[in-house]
Amino acid sequence: EGTRQGLQFVSRRRHRDEREAAPFPLPPPPVYRHAPSPVLGLAGWPALKPNENQDNQATEKLLHPLYWLSQTDAPSSSIFKKMAETRGKFDFAIDRGGTFTDVFARLPDGRERVLKLLSHDPQNYKDAPTEGIRRILEQETGHSFPREQPLDSSLIGWIRMGTTVATNALLERQGERTALLVTRGFKDLLHIGTQARPNLFDLEVRMPEVLYEEVIEVDERVVLRQEGCLLPRKEPKRIVSGSTGDSLEVWQELDLQRVEKDLKAVLSRGITSLAVLLLHSYIWPAHEKAVGSLARRLRFTQVSLSSEVMPMIRAVPRGYTVCADAYLTPKIHQYLNGFTTGFKGGLKDVDVLFMQSDGGLTPMEQFSGSRAVLSGPAGGVVGYAVTSYDSTENKPVIGFDMGGTSTDVSRYAGQYEHVFEATTAGVTLQAPQLDINTVAAGGGSRLFFRSGMFVVGPESAGAHPGPACYRKGGPLTVTDANLALGRLLPDFFPHIFGPGENEPLSTEETMKQFQQLTCDINHFLSTNQSQHGTNGASQPNHGTKDGKSEMSVEEVAMGFIRVANEAMCRPIRALTQAKGHDTSQHVLACFGGAGGQHACAIARALGMKTVFIHKYSGVLSAYGLALADVVEEVQEPCSLQYNEDSYSELDHRIQQLTQRCHNTLQQRGFSSSQVSTAVFLHMRYEGTDCALMVNASDYPAHAQSCQSGDFRTAFTKRYLKEFGFTIADRPIMVDDIRVRGSGKSGIKSVTMGKEGHRSPTPTKVTKCYFEEGYLDTSVYMWEDLSCDYVVEGPSIIIDKNSTILVEPGCSAQLTTSGDVCIAVRAESQCVLGTELNTVQLSIFSHRFMSIAEQMGRVLQRTSISTNIKERLDFSCAVFGPDGGLVSNAPHIPVHLGAMQETVQYQLKAIGSSLKEGDVILSNHPCAGGSHLPDLTVITPVFRHGVSGPVFFVASRGHHADIGGITPGSMPPHSTSLEQEGAVFTSFKLVTEGVFQEKAVTEALMAPAQHPGCSGTRNLHDNLSDLRAQVAANQRGSLLVGELIDCYGLAVVQAYMGYIQSNAELAVRDMLKEFARRQRQQTGSLEVEAEDQMDDGTPIRLKVQINEEEGSAVFDFTGTGTEVWGNCNAPRAITLSALIYCLRCMVGQDIPLNQGCLTPIKVIIPPGSILQPSQNAAVVGGNVLTSQRVVDVIFRAFKACAASQGCMNNVTFGNEKSGYYETVAGGAGAGPDWNGRSGVHSHMTNTRITDPEILEKRYPVILQQFSLRPDSGGPGRYRGGDGVIRKLLFRNKVVLSVLSERRSTRPYGLLGGKSGSAGLNLLHRVDGRVLNLGAKTTVSLEPGDVFHLHTPGGGGYGGEEDEDEDENHSPSKRQRLNKAFTERGSVFEYRRAQESV
């Protein structure tokens, strides 16, 4: 069936190619009488003036201008003159990548050429694009163009370029020296950012450095006017109107004299680039413009204003964006100046366009840093979108661009998919960008065998030294694995390797390293035969496919290829399923140097039937530049409800923006008929943050809509598709209006594949290794294939820039355009035994994690509350039949391992009564709950013929309110569980398939029966989110069933045990290594530690380690008793903290499951603060005591000094609104690092609300949010500083604070000093200053200001030991910045999920 569908695709594409070709046989290129003079028209074919001897009807037709003007893609008469000016000239599209520069050239006679050369080769040329142009001109004209002389630009029609100059400068932090000018009180705003750390388990908290070198704080302040504001202050200096129609109050005018003095001081220190970020400038930019005018007058060479770079709400991403613009634009201009000097006349008469991150071209002089970071990859997206997508079939396409260090994945279904906030090299940019998802897996990804598991990446060999086969001492990589399997043929590679760059690829070096790795793997397997028996799975052999006692080199290499493929499949699944698309109903468009070797396997794993590889796949990013359009985008903020009252205003503003696009593009030489515009509204339901950029082109306007289309229907239809529901009767808000104008300028290629009448002869027949073993594999040169011949797999197709592997059972055919289309057979039924196969171990680990991830996507899509849908405060997991955790994704620290306790409790309590169709709801601390708002929904998975559940799936989500004594169900002074909300122990939420709405409603309202308590205050959201959790579990149950259908129940359960054992082994290895060091240093295998809560309650830990077994006993005997308050922590919280600490100390990516705790025995005294009685209040234990448990464990192991040890929970609200946040502090220093300042640590990673969002939606003014100087503990390595956060309240509210480390201080280690304790102050409007203590609830009056000073981290090592601080050396900075390679919507989702 797969082959049939694939061949149908080939047939349809052939017909499409024929439709797009010229309507009559094209003549051979004519003989020129004079210089060639092409007139570019249909499909880019040149109509040339022929010799009189070759006059014929066809060429006369080609020559006639009216013929070209009648074609849909022909240039209009208004630019006919400009087209005529480029007659007989060369056109170039160039992608300057990090390693290679790709050149696509269209020659004067219509032929096309491609060229690939090194981007950096200073011994031979200064600039790769210039060199590429020089070589082609020299080869095609026969004239010499010396490198040292500028090129003659009169031969060039146009140049289009994509470049990684901006991306590389960002990665390497090699941009222009920049200063940031910001509103006073916010000098550290961009250092703190969202306050979330990028890597949950990285104790060092490595984060990219800010782009600015100095900060200037200016005395100016503008605030939004709010109805009902009761602030007792004098009238504002001015009331102004913003671009959205909102009114603003100017509380403090800009002091330009002081600003001028500060700017001159910065200039005197050699800083000439300035980024300006003032709060609320996105709607009222007057102050920013005044600063900009002054700075330009003072001769700053680059001045970037946030209101001009990207006028969107949210100061933090806008600040990052304006800094990137100021930091990168001068570097881009320096490169452009250098590039143009390589040509006579500086390319003044040549149309030079550059690709932007949004997939559109822009004139060279308009190319700026903030729009340039995806310049290179964007060309590839345009390339496959134009060449692979058939608008008549409407079959969506997945772009798969596999390079050396990473792989880019994107999707196209008739429209480019954009995101408007994405992170590149650790910098979040707020600008239109193609949704290109980058994962750290490429041809250069390194291969590891860790604790019994095959691991690919994320580390890369890079270009130097490169893979082992490059002959420069590099490590084994994916490229080496393909070489070892015979899939790369050294005879077809140039001799450019080795120290002298004159040798071929080295199969010998690759095989030598693989033989050593294979020996290590076989040794591990032979010495760990009983290791996997802990979870009930036997291991009679080592899992090779034929039961041999050892793995071969080929089996090892094949294993790494399969693991790499599975790693690349996961983001593709996430990208499609996140928006409700079926992954299997896509075409896989493969390009890039390494992708062709993996395309068939990846398509098969994803259920795709067709792989499309363009003839220029090796240089598709360059070719895409030639196909792209010139784009002009304009956008402005809005603050309107989408309803009849606003339609006229929206239409007026849309018309203005549309006219701006038209005017700009017409000034660039396009006629009105060549310009098309698309209108987008950034829309969301009121009260939510989940906004969609909506285009209504498919929904025509009517009397009850805007003139540009029915945006209400477009929004609700898309919302329903992506999230599974709509919110009836909820107003829809418009946050931004965006118009994208396109000037059609892309060429079309009609280079045809050749037709033949006989089968091509293979260049050679080689041996390649597949699952079946070695098979004879025919090798074909792409240029020898004809478009009427089918190449059956296994075979290899080679051209100058790529190698394509056609796997067994697949078949390839050339389209009439000369592209390769592969029909992929369906994956055969899996045949696998229950014995351990180490390759399958890695693949099953990915599969189980993928199930948990897909459950999370369903939950996020179908939930309705802000906490789950937007803050992503949930976890989903898969459990074995014994309730043991198998996979948990994503990793919210306080949920780690805790759900396992919940599932196992249900097994003991009601396991025998569970039936298919039952779903359990639980949140009680004695049943494995963390705190009551975290509701856990558990679904047993049954299998026909098996009496009990074979697996369990569960989801835990934080509900915003479930009743109790305070809104939000997180009271600071609760003393019993009933005061914290509704309680569920083993509640049947679904009984035999029926959702028990009445019963669960009664339970959620039950807290109202207790004095001073209320039932849930948001029943609708509770029920909707519970249904979403049930739906997520149903998805997980279905996926587990599919896995069992594929492999069989016994095999799936066996590998469940193996994965748990793998985590166990990693923990045992870590404990053995620690024990060895501890024994050598102290002679003892026992460590202990103690710390105290603010009320004096001790938490004591003694750890006894068995070095031989790699096991340990964690004994909390001596810990203080249960407290009268809510800092009691259920047992599940301690286990979560313990798993988190173990994972951090292991130091590598391991499955987080039951196996982590298998080597650990935990002793917790009943009745203590860590195992309280059933009715004890626990809300503070979840958010505060959990942090102290982590501090004690790390203190015992001397892993790092204490971090702030608190989450700083702040809640305020009144009858109209409520708000909750947790606030960052200082991280502890470690053995070779300074603690990070202003960041969340350990058991939380919550993002902070942006200042502009906070002030727009809540009755508060943020007066200050900055680092707290010198609050980190001194030492050889300093602890991180806490933060200062000042909130001015505009109305009466009730403020609740739940915090710790106000009387105890975060400890230092090994001579390092303690960090400063936190402080909660209230500055009353009448002048009094009150210390609120650690935990309080207080009523505030308008004008009161809450000052929050969070704790700093402890120092590490004595100051007398201090030597040169490598922590901030240039080499380390570069390593840190280069570590942040991932990007795209899939990465942003995971990062947001881990920021909870």
Side-chain angles (χ1 to χ4, degrees):
E1 174 64 15
T3 301
R4 182 182 66 82
Q5 290 190 25
L7 290 175
Q8 284 181 347
F9 181 89
V10 175
S11 177
R12 291 193 301 267
R13 182 163 298 281
R14 172 176 290 179
H15 289 309
R16 190 193 80 169
D17 293 338
E18 291 169 353
R19 287 197 308 272
E20 293 182 351
F24 50 87
L26 293 170
V31 179
Y32 301 126
R33 184 176 357 183
H34 301 293
S37 305
V39 178
L40 304 180
L42 175 66
W45 186 261
L48 303 171
K49 186 173 182 180
N51 190 311
E52 293 172 359
N53 297 333
Q54 293 187 319
D55 194 14
N56 59 51
Q57 186 177 1
T59 51
E60 284 181 6
K61 187 173 183 180
L62 278 167
L63 281 168
H64 203 291
L66 293 178
Y67 169 76
W68 296 111
L69 297 178
S70 68
Q71 307 304 312
T72 56
D73 293 299
S76 69
S77 57
S78 67
I79 64 163
F80 195 85
K81 180 179 178 182
K82 183 165 185 175
M83 301 301 290
E85 290 171 353
T86 66
R87 292 176 181 176
K89 296 190 177 184
F90 292 79
D91 298 326
F92 295 94
I94 305 171
D95 175 40
R96 184 186 185 277
T99 304
F100 290 104
T101 291
D102 300 334
V103 182
F104 167 84
R106 191 174 55 176
L107 311 182
D109 60 2
R111 289 183 296 118
E112 296 170 349
R113 279 198 56 179
V114 295
L115 176 69
K116 187 182 285 281
L117 66 161
L118 289 171
S119 294
H120 300 280
D121 191 359
Q123 293 179 343
N124 292 306
Y125 46 82
K126 294 180 180 179
D127 178 67
T130 306
E131 173 67 11
I133 293 173
R134 189 196 68 80
R135 290 184 186 180
I136 289 178
L137 290 178
E138 197 168 73
Q139 292 166 11
E140 293 297 327
T141 64
H143 296 295
S144 174
F145 293 92
R147 287 194 177 105
E148 63 275 9
Q149 296 180 11
L151 288 172
D152 183 0
S153 60
S154 66
L155 299 173
I156 301 172
W158 49 250
I159 298 173
R160 299 176 176 192
M161 281 184 62
T163 176
T164 57
V165 168
T167 311
N168 292 340
L170 205 56
L171 282 168
E172 298 167 5
R173 295 301 191 262
Q174 296 294 322
E176 190 75 5
R177 294 181 66 193
T178 301
L180 170 67
L181 185 143
V182 69
T183 302
R184 185 168 298 283
F186 298 91
K187 66 176 182 177
D188 301 309
L189 181 64
L190 301 186
H191 174 96
I192 300 169
T194 66
Q195 76 181 8
R197 60 194 189 277
N199 186 336
L200 209 58
F201 304 107
D202 177 16
L203 295 178
E204 187 177 346
V205 193
R206 289 169 291 184
M207 298 178 74
E209 296 197 349
V210 293
L211 302 180
Y212 51 85
E213 188 174 320
E214 290 196 28
V215 181
I216 302 170
E217 287 189 286
V218 296
D219 293 311
E220 69 84 40
R221 194 60 161 99
V222 177
V223 300
L224 290 165
R225 298 203 83 185
Q226 282 187 355
E227 290 186 13
C229 175
L230 301 177
L231 276 177
R233 59 182 291 126
K234 61 183 180 181
E235 289 296 311
K237 297 187 184 313
R238 273 194 293 165
I239 296 176
V240 296
S241 181
S243 60
T244 60
D246 293 313
S247 293
L248 301 97
E249 299 178 358
V250 180
W251 282 10
Q252 186 164 11
E253 294 284 2
L254 181 67
D255 184 352
L256 278 176
Q257 287 186 338
R258 176 64 182 271
V259 172
E260 182 172 1
K261 179 181 176 183
D262 292 338
L263 289 178
K264 286 180 177 178
V266 166
L267 276 172
S268 69
R269 291 187 284 275
I271 298 175
T272 59
S273 189
L274 180 69
V276 183
L277 172 67
L278 303 181
L279 292 191
H280 301 294
S281 61
Y282 71 99
I283 56 173
W284 192 72
H287 282 176
E288 279 199 354
K289 289 184 175 180
V291 172
S293 297
L294 173 61
R296 293 184 183 102
R297 179 168 58 81
L298 293 175
R299 302 296 177 86
F300 275 84
T301 57
Q302 175 65 35
V303 179
S304 298
L305 310 181
S306 75
S307 54
E308 294 178 351
V309 172
M310 197 63 202
M312 291 182 73
I313 191 172
R314 297 179 69 219
V316 171
R318 196 172 74 251
Y320 286 140
T321 306
V322 74
C323 285
D325 196 77
Y327 185 74
L328 299 176
T329 301
K331 288 296 179 182
I332 289 175
H333 289 169
Q334 288 173 23
Y335 173 73
L336 296 181
N337 291 337
F339 174 66
T340 55
T341 56
F343 299 84
K344 293 178 180 177
L347 293 173
K348 289 181 180 178
D349 297 323
V350 177
D351 192 13
V352 183
L353 301 171
F354 273 77
M355 175 62 77
Q356 300 184 110
S357 300
D358 63 359
L361 297 165
T362 192
M364 178 171 59
E365 59 273 11
Q366 303 294 326
F367 194 46
S368 66
S370 60
R371 302 293 181 98
V373 291
L374 297 186
S375 175
V381 175
V382 174
Y384 85 76
V386 175
T387 59
S388 305
Y389 180 76
D390 189 338
S391 59
T392 61
E393 296 295 330
N394 293 324
K395 191 158 188 176
V397 184
I398 293 293
F400 177 71
D401 179 7
M402 184 176 178
T405 58
S406 61
T407 296
D408 288 341
V409 175
S410 54
R411 180 178 183 272
Y412 182 81
Q415 283 189 339
Y416 294 112
E417 297 189 353
H418 289 99
V419 292
F420 296 86
E421 187 175 308
T423 302
T424 299
V427 178
T428 301
L429 299 179
Q430 196 178 47
Q433 304 164 62
L434 290 171
D435 187 11
I436 301 172
N437 291 269
T438 301
V439 293
S445 294
R446 295 181 60 184
L447 311 181
F448 303 95
F449 184 75
R450 291 172 175 162
S451 302
M453 187 172 286
F454 282 58
V455 178
V456 178
E459 299 91 340
S460 173
H464 299 283
C469 60
Y470 279 19
R471 299 177 182 269
K472 291 183 179 180
L476 285 176
T477 67
V478 172
T479 296
D480 292 296
N482 279 310
L483 182 63
L485 297 173
R487 301 176 177 196
L488 291 179
L489 306 177
D491 292 346
F492 293 87
F493 280 77
H495 291 198
I496 58 173
F497 305 100
E501 299 185 350
N502 58 356
E503 298 178 76
L505 283 174
S506 173
T507 304
E508 296 78 13
E509 182 60 31
T510 291
M511 296 306 291
K512 176 183 175 182
Q513 291 201 33
F514 260 118
Q515 286 163 0
Q516 180 59 54
L517 179 59
T518 302
C519 287
D520 295 341
I521 291 171
N522 287 327
H523 175 73
F524 171 89
L525 295 174
S526 65
T527 56
N528 288 271
Q529 290 191 25
S530 61
Q531 171 252 312
H532 289 283
T534 311
N535 292 286
S538 62
Q539 188 186 342
N541 62 60
H542 307 310
T544 55
K545 63 182 177 64
D546 53 4
K548 298 196 306 292
S549 60
E550 292 188 343
M551 296 186 74
S552 67
V553 167
E554 290 82 2
E555 286 168 336
V556 169
M558 189 70 185
F560 280 113
I561 292 295
R562 295 185 63 189
V563 172
N565 289 343
E566 185 62 32
M568 289 182 284
C569 285
R570 277 175 64 182
I572 297 176
R573 291 191 189 102
L575 180 66
T576 51
Q577 293 166 358
K579 298 181 180 179
H581 307 299
D582 184 350
T583 309
S584 65
Q585 299 303 308
H586 289 69
V587 173
L588 187 68
C590 179
F591 57 105
Q597 299 145 43
H598 299 258
C600 287
I602 286 174
R604 181 186 295 116
L606 295 169
M608 297 177 178
K609 306 297 190 298
T610 307
V611 173
F612 182 81
I613 304 177
H614 193 268
K615 64 190 173 196
Y616 295 141
S617 63
V619 294
L620 195 64
S621 290
Y623 187 55
L625 297 170
L627 303 174
D629 295 325
V630 177
V631 168
E632 172 69 13
E633 284 212 10
V634 289
Q635 180 172 321
E636 62 181 32
C638 183
S639 187
L640 295 172
Q641 274 193 21
Y642 188 81
N643 55 34
E644 293 183 9
D645 296 336
S646 64
Y647 291 158
S648 59
E649 173 70 13
L650 287 170
D651 286 332
H652 174 68
R653 294 176 66 177
I654 289 170
Q655 185 178 8
Q656 285 185 321
L657 295 179
T658 301
Q659 191 59 50
R660 280 175 57 187
C661 283
H662 272 273
N663 292 344
T664 300
L665 289 170
Q666 286 174 4
Q667 289 171 7
R668 294 175 184 170
F670 294 92
S671 70
S672 58
S673 63
Q674 285 183 294
V675 175
S676 63
T677 56
V679 178
F680 298 84
L681 299 184
H682 204 201
M683 307 175 79
R684 60 180 172 84
Y685 283 116
E686 188 176 45
T688 74
D689 284 329
C690 198
L692 299 175
M693 192 66 77
V694 177
N695 175 256
S697 58
D698 294 332
Y699 302 92
H702 52 78
Q704 302 300 316
S705 75
C706 284
Q707 295 176 7
S708 297
D710 183 1
F711 282 92
R712 180 184 300 278
T713 301
F715 172 75
T716 53
K717 292 277 189 183
R718 184 171 162 199
Y719 203 94
L720 180 65
K721 181 174 181 62
E722 292 202 17
F723 303 123
F725 68 94
T726 57
I727 308 177
D729 303 323
R730 181 80 67 93
I732 297 173
M733 304 300 297
V734 180
D735 285 341
D736 300 278
I737 305 170
R738 168 181 168 237
V739 177
R740 180 179 175 89
S742 300
K744 300 298 180 183
S745 65
I747 69 163
K748 284 190 177 179
S749 172
V750 294
T751 303
M752 311 299 284
K754 66 180 182 180
E755 296 188 6
H757 302 288
R758 59 187 178 85
S759 302
T761 302
T763 301
K764 65 180 293 187
V765 176
T766 187
K767 293 282 189 182
C768 282
Y769 190 88
F770 298 95
E771 296 292 342
E772 301 88 337
Y774 276 108
L775 298 177
D776 287 338
T777 304
S778 299
V779 180
Y780 297 93
M781 300 307 293
W782 194 329
E783 61 192 27
D784 295 338
L785 297 178
S786 57
C787 58
D788 55 356
Y789 181 70
V790 176
V791 176
E792 297 290 350
S795 59
I796 294 175
I797 301 173
I798 296 177
D799 78 347
K800 289 180 291 186
N801 297 312
S802 59
T803 298
I804 301 169
L805 179 69
V806 184
E807 296 202 353
C810 301
S811 57
Q813 185 174 359
L814 259 65
T815 69
T816 53
S817 293
D819 309 317
V820 171
C821 201
I822 303 176
V824 181
R825 71 173 183 181
E827 193 162 18
S828 59
Q829 187 73 19
C830 308
V831 179
L832 191 65
T834 57
E835 68 276 2
L836 173 64
N837 178 310
T838 50
V839 175
Q840 287 291 345
L841 177 64
S842 299
I843 292 173
F844 266 98
S845 179
H846 280 290
R847 290 287 178 87
F848 280 123
M849 190 62 75
S850 181
I851 290 172
E853 288 172 348
Q854 291 184 60
M855 289 173 64
R857 286 293 190 169
V858 171
L859 179 52
Q860 189 253 350
R861 284 182 55 226
T862 56
S863 62
I864 195 170
S865 70
T866 298
N867 267 351
I868 294 179
K869 186 171 209 63
E870 294 159 18
R871 291 187 62 244
L872 306 181
D873 192 350
F874 65 83
S875 281
C876 296
V878 180
F879 304 84
D882 62 348
L885 179 63
V886 179
S887 65
N888 190 114
H891 317 302
I892 295 176
V894 82
H895 292 175
L896 289 174
M899 275 197 285
Q900 172 177 301
E901 295 275 305
T902 306
V903 176
Q904 291 178 334
Y905 179 91
Q906 306 309 322
L907 269 173
K908 295 175 184 176
I910 59 172
S912 60
S913 66
L914 288 174
K915 299 177 182 178
E916 189 163 8
D918 289 350
V919 179
I920 311 304
L921 172 63
S922 181
N923 69 344
H924 198 294
C926 75
S930 47
H931 62 171
L932 296 188
D934 282 344
L935 298 183
T936 304
V937 174
I938 305 164
T939 302
V941 180
F942 288 87
R943 191 74 178 170
H944 181 70
V946 182
S947 58
V950 297
F951 277 91
F952 290 87
V953 291
S955 54
R956 174 171 287 183
H958 184 103
H959 288 239
D961 195 295
I962 56 166
I965 58 177
T966 61
S969 305
M970 292 191 65
H973 287 306
S974 55
T975 56
S976 65
L977 195 65
E978 64 191 22
Q979 295 176 335
E980 296 178 356
V983 179
F984 302 90
T985 304
S986 299
F987 183 88
K988 287 273 186 84
L989 181 63
V990 179
T991 303
E992 297 184 16
V994 180
F995 187 81
Q996 304 296 306
E997 182 170 342
K998 181 179 179 182
V1000 74
T1001 298
E1002 291 174 354
L1004 286 166
M1005 300 308 298
Q1009 301 170 8
H1010 304 291
C1013 294
S1014 166
T1016 180
R1017 299 164 182 87
N1018 202 343
L1019 178 63
H1020 176 263
D1021 281 11
N1022 292 138
L1023 294 176
S1024 295
D1025 286 350
L1026 286 172
R1027 287 193 179 94
Q1029 288 179 259
V1030 171
N1033 287 6
Q1034 180 62 28
R1035 176 64 175 165
S1037 178
L1038 178 66
L1039 291 171
V1040 169
E1042 290 178 358
L1043 198 61
I1044 294 172
D1045 288 341
C1046 181
Y1047 291 96
L1049 177 61
V1051 171
V1052 174
Q1053 288 189 335
Y1055 276 90
M1056 171 201 74
Y1058 295 144
I1059 290 169
Q1060 292 170 331
S1061 295
N1062 178 257
E1064 173 191 340
L1065 180 62
V1067 172
R1068 288 188 187 275
D1069 288 345
M1070 181 274 292
L1071 290 173
K1072 289 177 181 178
E1073 175 61 23
F1074 175 80
R1076 183 189 62 79
R1077 293 197 313 269
Q1078 180 71 12
R1079 177 173 46 77
Q1080 291 175 349
Q1081 293 171 5
T1082 68
S1084 171
L1085 294 180
E1086 185 176 290
V1087 295
E1088 57 185 354
E1090 178 181 337
D1091 206 341
Q1092 294 182 336
M1093 303 293 288
D1094 276 352
D1095 64 0
T1097 300
I1099 295 178
R1100 294 196 177 101
L1101 172 65
K1102 180 180 291 185
V1103 183
Q1104 292 179 315
I1105 304 172
N1106 185 316
E1107 183 179 3
E1108 184 177 349
E1109 293 181 358
S1111 61
V1113 177
F1114 283 69
D1115 187 353
F1116 288 92
T1117 299
T1119 294
T1121 60
E1122 175 183 326
V1123 298
W1124 178 255
N1126 58 28
C1127 281
N1128 303 293
R1131 175 184 172 86
I1133 293 296
T1134 300
L1135 296 182
S1136 296
L1138 183 52
I1139 287 183
Y1140 167 79
C1141 293
L1142 292 172
R1143 167 62 183 84
C1144 290
M1145 290 188 291
V1146 166
Q1148 65 189 42
D1149 195 14
I1150 63 170
L1152 289 160
N1153 56 44
Q1154 170 182 272
C1156 292
L1157 291 180
T1158 300
I1160 307 298
K1161 180 181 179 181
V1162 182
I1163 300 173
I1164 304 176
S1168 70
I1169 192 175
L1170 301 184
Q1171 192 166 326
S1173 60
Q1174 288 197 11
N1175 199 42
V1178 297
V1179 68
N1182 183 66
V1183 296
L1184 300 176
T1185 310
S1186 61
Q1187 297 280 52
R1188 194 67 77 261
V1189 173
V1190 170
D1191 285 343
V1192 170
I1193 295 172
F1194 282 147
R1195 189 173 202 171
F1197 282 83
K1198 295 182 174 59
C1200 61
S1203 294
Q1204 68 160 332
C1206 178
M1207 297 186 190
N1208 303 298
N1209 302 268
V1210 177
T1211 307
F1212 63 80
N1214 52 30
E1215 65 281 358
K1216 294 182 180 179
S1217 65
Y1219 175 76
Y1220 168 71
E1221 69 181 18
T1222 61
V1223 185
D1232 61 356
W1233 70 83
N1234 293 322
R1236 174 77 180 182
S1237 299
V1239 70
H1240 261 319
S1241 53
H1242 302 326
M1243 297 302 282
T1244 188
N1245 203 27
T1246 315
R1247 295 185 180 191
I1248 196 82
T1249 303
D1250 189 88
E1252 292 175 345
I1253 295 287
L1254 180 70
E1255 295 188 1
K1256 183 177 178 67
R1257 297 186 185 174
Y1258 301 99
V1260 68
I1261 300 295
L1262 184 60
Q1263 291 186 331
Q1264 182 179 347
F1265 189 33
S1266 60
L1267 298 180
R1268 183 184 175 196
D1270 300 322
S1271 56
R1276 179 181 181 185
Y1277 296 100
R1278 289 190 61 88
D1281 289 334
V1283 303
I1284 299 173
R1285 190 167 173 87
K1286 298 180 181 179
L1287 298 171
L1288 166 65
F1289 292 93
R1290 307 177 75 163
N1291 271 314
K1292 292 184 177 182
V1293 298
V1294 175
L1295 172 72
S1296 295
V1297 182
L1298 189 58
S1299 60
E1300 270 284 325
R1301 291 290 194 197
R1302 267 43 183 183
S1303 55
T1304 63
R1305 299 171 63 184
Y1307 63 78
L1309 266 186
L1310 302 181
K1313 300 297 191 295
S1314 297
S1316 299
L1319 183 64
N1320 302 331
L1321 297 177
L1322 178 61
H1323 289 240
R1324 285 290 195 184
V1325 68
D1326 60 9
R1328 290 181 299 155
V1329 179
L1330 308 175
N1331 186 335
L1332 296 179
K1335 302 168 184 66
T1336 192
T1337 297
V1338 60
S1339 296
L1340 302 186
E1341 296 295 321
D1344 287 345
V1345 182
F1346 173 54
H1347 289 214
L1348 175 65
H1349 297 241
T1350 67
Y1356 193 103
E1359 291 183 85
E1360 65 276 5
D1361 300 328
E1362 189 168 0
D1363 54 16
E1364 183 182 352
D1365 182 11
E1366 195 263 343
N1367 211 50
H1368 296 289
S1369 68
S1371 61
K1372 183 162 188 176
R1373 285 201 302 270
Q1374 285 196 16
R1375 290 201 303 273
L1376 297 191
N1377 298 324
K1378 288 185 177 181
F1380 297 89
T1381 58
E1382 293 189 311
R1383 62 162 179 255
S1385 60
V1386 174
F1387 164 68
E1388 296 294 340
Y1389 171 85
R1390 191 182 75 243
R1391 196 172 69 135
Q1393 175 75 74
E1394 294 180 354
S1395 301
V1396 178

